[in-house]
Amino acid sequence: MERKHSKAILSGILMMILMAVYGVGLPNLTLSEEQQSVLTIGWINGPTNLNPFTIATYADSILVTMIHDSLLCYSPEMDLVPRLAESFTISPDGLTHTFKLKECYFHDGTPVTSEDVKFTFELAANTTLPCLGFQLPLSSIETPDERTVIVHYTSARANIEWLTYLPIVPKHIWKDVPLEEVATHEDATGCGPYKLVEFKRNEVTILEANDKYWQKLNFDRIILKVFMSVDTEISALKAGEIDLMPWEVPERSVKTLTEDPNIKVITSPIPYYAAIFINVNPNGTGNPALLDINVRRAMRMAIDKEFLNNVVHLGMRTVATSIIPKGTKWYNPNLQNPPFDLEKAAQILEEAGYKYVSDPNVREKDGVKLSFTLEVINRYPDELRAAEYIRDWWSQIGIQLDVKAEDGGTMWSRVVPNYEFDLQLWGWRFTPDPDYILSTYTTAAIGSLNYDGWSNKTFDQLYEQQAYELNETKRIEIVHKMQEIHFNDIPDIPLYYHVQMAAYRADKITGIVTMDQGGIMNIHTYLSWRSTKQSAPTVTPTPVGISTEILIVATVVSIVVGLATGVLIMRRRYKGG
């Protein structure tokens, strides 16, 4: 009998160990939905794609920074600091970068190694990735071990900011993607703080914490909900259906939101300007009259930017003259907006040969009427008001304007690759260094990030010069000249520079980090934000290097052995009693 009982006990122990290993019949030790800390974010016009290299909208850039890691990032004070890299050094001549990598993992569990970094850099050298706007001038790359990368360049670029927006992708996934498809291939396997669970365009994106990220994350799940209007998004924030509006808070709503003690509004500078982008691509399908510089001169003169800022935006913007923001060393202070003058604008058109012929209200020349469609991104209702004022001003000089509200994805689809629009009132982001925004105006960027389809050979040549000019004073002079060329040719009409206004439920979320340029959606916020009511899970944290499965097995084995030992002791006591 004793042997039978012993065999039964040992069989039970073995069965429980096997159950632990294969996950059969064990209690679920993962956090339930009620136990998880969940952050719900609202935005208008969500991400347009899952390609980490092609960023068409601000939402795209946010999603990329949440899913993918770059080697470097900006600190809240706008200093370049390591992100995926643990450390980095630059040789005195700028021709060699050395990176030491953190211990990191892609979302499929594969370690991030120096080979992945090398592969990503070689992609950027073999094609012009939209996120960079140029091809890396690589000479060679050394990978002496799995966490060391030594990159040699044929020439030194004037800035290394591009290291903050080049996501490192897994070689084992991307190596089979043809080079011509790299900019369109969609894959969300990154090594960033959050991994993709669900992606429904124009509806919802769901992310969950990367449990192998190099720093602990405080939210288990992020839900990004798309709203059709700012007003419905604000209502959802007030009702507690969302926790955060990362941008898009209109000036007119600030007072109402701040009256709620549970809602906090943050205003911060943001590298973003609103503009009327003009289709000047001769191969596009826009109204050909827009190719005439005189039409563009008249259009610019017939916009009262100061009025739009003061009346529509309550004076909370800064009137723009250039694609480079005021207050930086790169801004050309010699550029001045022409005075708002409807009479002179009409005279420009008259002298250029645009007359009232078949329609007493619309000028035309050679049978081409000055009748345009202005598409306005619908997440900015105040810009629709601005467009209505512009429509009224332009009607007084003989230009007919049809204003249409569209979502960002639809608008962008009309830009690239075929330039099937007339005018769009939207915005563009720039970075602390001017290289990126300047790159989007080069001929090489037509079909990817060149919004207007504009091409200017002198501008292209100056772009290459500034990119490799290591003397800052000389580089500033070049950048000033490039702004002058853009200003005189008018491929678009910058209106004003933005501030970013975000709002969040202070009773639900804390730890928001605001950057000097970049708002609140940044890697530092992702690592510090947390729920105000977040309680620590009852599950013991997993030590680094030991998997949860191993701990479960060890725990179960310990329990079973303890129970078995107790049974044997009781049997012996009973036998000896």
Side-chain angles (χ1 to χ4, degrees), residues 55-131:
I55 299 173
T57 66
Y58 187 35
D60 289 340
S61 68
I62 295 303
L63 191 61
V64 167
T65 59
M66 299 184 87
I67 293 177
H68 299 271
D69 260 1
S70 53
L71 289 170
L72 305 183
C73 67
Y74 276 106
S75 72
E77 298 74 32
M78 303 310 294
D79 297 317
L80 287 172
V81 295
R83 182 173 173 180
L84 179 58
E86 187 172 71
S87 64
F88 70 100
T89 58
I90 302 175
S91 63
D93 60 6
L95 293 175
T96 301
H97 294 171
T98 301
F99 303 96
K100 294 287 186 180
L101 304 180
K102 290 183 174 79
E103 183 178 350
C104 302
Y105 297 85
F106 289 109
H107 298 159
D108 61 2
T110 307
V112 179
T113 71
S114 55
E115 286 298 320
D116 298 299
V117 176
K118 178 183 178 183
F119 173 79
T120 303
F121 274 51
E122 288 174 343
L123 271 184
N126 292 326
T127 187
T128 300
L129 296 177
C131 63

Side-chain angles (χ1 to χ4, degrees), residues 71 94-99 114-127 129 132 134-143 149-157 160 162-163 166 168 179 468:
L71 289 170
L95 293 175
T96 301
H97 294 171
T98 301
F99 303 96
S114 55
E115 286 298 320
D116 298 299
V117 176
K118 178 183 178 183
F119 173 79
T120 303
F121 274 51
E122 288 174 343
L123 271 184
N126 292 326
T127 187
L129 296 177
L132 295 187
F134 60 87
Q135 290 182 239
L136 283 184
L138 284 185
S139 173
S140 62
I141 301 180
E142 301 174 59
T143 54
V149 187
I150 304 172
V151 186
H152 302 285
Y153 304 94
T154 58
S155 53
R157 291 190 70 86
I160 60 169
W162 57 271
L163 288 165
L166 177 63
I168 302 303
L179 199 60
Y468 297 99

Side-chain angles (χ1 to χ4, degrees), residues 74 76 78 269-271 325 328 429-433 514-519:
Y74 276 106
M78 303 310 294
I270 182 174
T328 71
R429 291 178 65 84
F430 40 81
T431 55
D433 188 277
T514 301
M515 296 182 67
D516 288 347
Q517 296 183 42

Side-chain angles (χ1 to χ4, degrees), residues 195-199 205-208 221:
K195 52 188 176 182
L196 185 69
V197 175
E198 183 178 356
F199 177 62
T205 302
I206 300 177
L207 309 172
E208 66 179 26
R221 179 165 284 217

Side-chain angles (χ1 to χ4, degrees), residues 102-390:
K102 290 183 174 79
E103 183 178 350
C104 302
Y105 297 85
F106 289 109
H107 298 159
D108 61 2
T110 307
V112 179
T113 71
S114 55
E115 286 298 320
D116 298 299
V117 176
K118 178 183 178 183
F119 173 79
T120 303
F121 274 51
E122 288 174 343
L123 271 184
N126 292 326
T127 187
T128 300
L129 296 177
C131 63
L132 295 187
F134 60 87
Q135 290 182 239
L136 283 184
L138 284 185
S139 173
S140 62
I141 301 180
E142 301 174 59
T143 54
D145 58 59
E146 289 192 343
R147 292 172 61 183
T148 303
V149 187
I150 304 172
V151 186
H152 302 285
Y153 304 94
T154 58
S155 53
R157 291 190 70 86
N159 83 94
I160 60 169
E161 182 184 73
W162 57 271
L163 288 165
T164 69
Y165 42 80
L166 177 63
I168 302 303
V169 297
K171 178 181 178 180
H172 65 280
I173 291 178
W174 285 81
K175 63 182 177 63
D176 295 324
V177 178
L179 199 60
E180 62 273 15
E181 297 178 15
V182 166
T184 56
H185 179 72
E186 296 197 9
D187 184 89
T189 307
C191 57
Y194 296 97
K195 52 188 176 182
L196 185 69
V197 175
E198 183 178 356
F199 177 62
K200 292 183 178 179
R201 282 181 179 84
N202 299 318
E203 292 184 36
V204 67
T205 302
I206 300 177
L207 309 172
E208 66 179 26
N210 176 6
D211 57 3
K212 291 189 175 183
Y213 198 59
W214 49 268
Q215 184 168 325
K216 182 183 180 299
L217 303 171
N218 296 312
F219 282 107
D220 302 305
R221 179 165 284 217
I222 307 289
I223 299 174
L224 302 150
K225 295 180 63 175
V226 175
F227 289 85
M228 299 310 295
S229 73
V230 170
D231 291 336
T232 56
E233 186 181 3
I234 288 175
S235 297
L237 181 70
K238 289 180 177 179
E241 297 170 7
I242 62 174
D243 306 315
L244 172 67
M245 284 181 66
W247 64 89
E248 299 158 345
V249 176
E251 291 89 347
R252 58 183 167 79
S253 302
V254 172
K255 185 177 183 296
T256 304
L257 289 173
T258 53
E259 289 173 351
D260 187 328
N262 294 318
I263 294 177
K264 184 173 181 180
V265 177
I266 296 178
T267 301
S268 60
I270 182 174
Y272 184 95
Y273 67 93
I276 294 180
F277 294 94
I278 306 170
N279 186 352
V280 294
N281 188 333
N283 298 316
T285 59
N287 188 316
L290 294 170
L291 301 177
D292 188 340
I293 183 66
N294 293 301
V295 173
R296 303 199 296 274
R297 284 177 58 216
M299 287 162 51
R300 181 170 64 181
M301 187 170 289
I303 297 176
D304 191 340
K305 298 180 184 180
E306 292 285 355
F307 176 90
L308 295 179
N309 179 43
N310 293 329
V311 175
V312 177
H313 297 293
L314 306 181
M316 298 186 72
R317 306 281 171 91
T318 300
V319 170
T321 54
S322 168
I323 55 178
I324 303 294
K326 292 180 178 179
T328 71
K329 60 190 173 186
W330 308 106
Y331 174 74
N332 186 340
N334 297 319
L335 302 179
Q336 300 294 326
N337 282 316
F340 173 66
D341 191 329
L342 293 177
E343 185 176 342
K344 189 172 182 179
Q347 182 181 346
I348 291 173
L349 294 176
E350 182 73 22
E351 292 176 353
Y354 293 91
K355 311 288 185 179
Y356 295 104
V357 182
S358 61
D359 189 324
N361 298 310
V362 183
R363 293 178 183 271
E364 63 181 272
K365 179 181 178 180
D366 300 329
V368 178
K369 289 187 176 183
L370 298 185
S371 178
F372 312 128
T373 297
L374 174 61
E375 301 169 36
V376 184
I377 190 164
N378 60 7
R379 74 166 179 251
Y380 294 138
D382 289 345
E383 299 298 14
L384 282 169
R385 289 183 59 211
E388 290 167 359
Y389 282 113
I390 294 170

